[in-house]
Amino acid sequence: MNFTQHALDKLELYEIDSDIVEKSSAIHTFYDKTQNTDIKIVRIKGILFVLVIDPDTENFITIYRTDQRTIDNRRKAKRWI
């Protein structure tokens, strides 16, 4: 997995090693229709995170915290399929 500088900065902010991200198994996988990106939901240190990945280059673009309600809402709105 290739990490953008933005992704590395976010990992530093959340105090997460890139190795942990690479070894994390996706709980859910989606495609974000509005951003045209692959979405992987992972649990790291007991917290749900969204990994945003460029489907063409497979670059890891960013990571951010989420919760089940947000995941459900994006699925219901058909943003994440």
Side-chain angles (χ1 to χ4, degrees):
M1 182 180 295
N2 298 317
F3 294 82
T4 64
Q5 186 59 51
H6 177 76
L8 292 171
D9 292 344
K10 295 293 274 191
L11 289 175
E12 184 177 332
L13 174 72
Y14 292 121
E15 298 178 352
I16 299 171
D17 255 356
S18 59
D19 291 344
I20 292 172
V21 172
E22 289 184 301
K23 293 176 184 176
S24 295
S25 298
I27 298 169
H28 301 289
T29 56
F30 303 106
Y31 181 76
D32 186 329
K33 293 182 355 180
T34 61
Q35 300 294 318
N36 298 319
T37 54
D38 290 332
I39 302 294
K40 292 184 181 180
I41 307 298
V42 298
R43 187 177 307 274
I44 300 173
K45 300 178 184 177
I47 301 168
L48 288 175
F49 285 94
V50 175
L51 306 181
V52 181
I53 301 167
D54 183 319
D56 297 326
T57 64
E58 296 185 13
N59 287 340
F60 172 41
I61 299 169
T62 194
I63 183 173
Y64 59 90
R65 291 177 71 151
T66 193
D67 55 41
Q68 191 61 50
R69 182 177 179 181
T70 301
I71 295 167
D72 293 342
N73 287 341
R74 290 188 179 169
R75 290 182 67 201
K76 286 178 190 172
K78 302 208 186 302
R79 175 177 173 178
W80 289 355
I81 55 171

